[in-house]
Each structure stands twice: as C-alpha cells, then as structure tokens.
Amino acid sequence: MKNLIQYAPCPQCGQSAAKKVSYTWWGGAVGPSMFTHVKCQSCGTQYNGKTGQSNQQNILIYFLVSMVISFCLCGGLVALNIILNNN
Ligand SMILES: [Zn+2]
C-alpha cells in the first residue's frame, strides 16, 4: 500500500501528479521542503505544492537572503581577521 500525498494541481497543465523535489541548486535540501517545492510528473513544471502557484518569488527571496547571510558571514570573518591582525 502506497499513500500518495496530494499536492495542488500543476499551474501549467492542471495535472495533480506531482512529486516532491528533495534537492535544488538554490535551496539545497532545506529550501524545497520550506516551500513545498514539487515537480509536475506530466510537464516537469516546478511549483509550490501547497498553493499551486509558482515558487519563483520564494526562490528569489530565499536565494537573496542566503546570499546576504553568507556575504555577512564572510564579511564578519574578514572584519574579525583585520581586528585580530591589528592587535
Ligand atoms: Zn504540469
């Protein structure tokens, strides 16, 4: 017995045969599960399985936020290095 989780129908073709995406280039393993990122098995469109809408905006925000966080972390390390070197 297999229990299929039902997702919202595909915004592109209307099929509800979607499969969860477990890993993406933009969000690793955390991002897609945060946004219920699913892929339509019929046409390959990736979208939000909860709302049935495109995840493009979420991806962009997630991508920008993770960029800013990693930038701040790198900047913080560089600043720490400068402070330590000045002593
Ligand atoms: Zn589709």
Side-chain angles (χ1 to χ4, degrees):
M1 280 261 298
K2 214 174 172 188
N3 233 340
L4 278 173
I5 305 159
Q6 282 297 302
Y7 295 113
C10 170
Q12 196 74 32
C13 67
Q15 296 277 334
S16 51
K19 230 177 173 182
K20 203 167 196 298
V21 181
S22 52
Y23 192 90
T24 57
W25 62 268
W26 51 267
V30 180
S33 71
M34 254 174 80
F35 304 129
T36 326
H37 199 57
V38 296
K39 185 180 181 180
C40 174
Q41 296 295 284
S42 176
C43 70
T45 302
Q46 297 191 353
Y47 61 99
N48 189 319
K50 210 182 255 176
T51 62
Q53 310 268 307
S54 169
N55 250 343
Q56 231 155 3
Q57 219 168 2
N58 288 335
I59 291 168
L60 196 71
I61 292 164
Y62 185 91
F63 191 64
L64 285 175
V65 167
S66 54
M67 283 275 278
V68 167
I69 288 171
S70 54
F71 185 78
C72 286
L73 283 176
C74 287
L77 284 177
V78 169
L80 199 70
N81 255 333
I82 291 168
I83 292 163
L84 288 175
N85 283 338
N86 277 346
N87 282 338

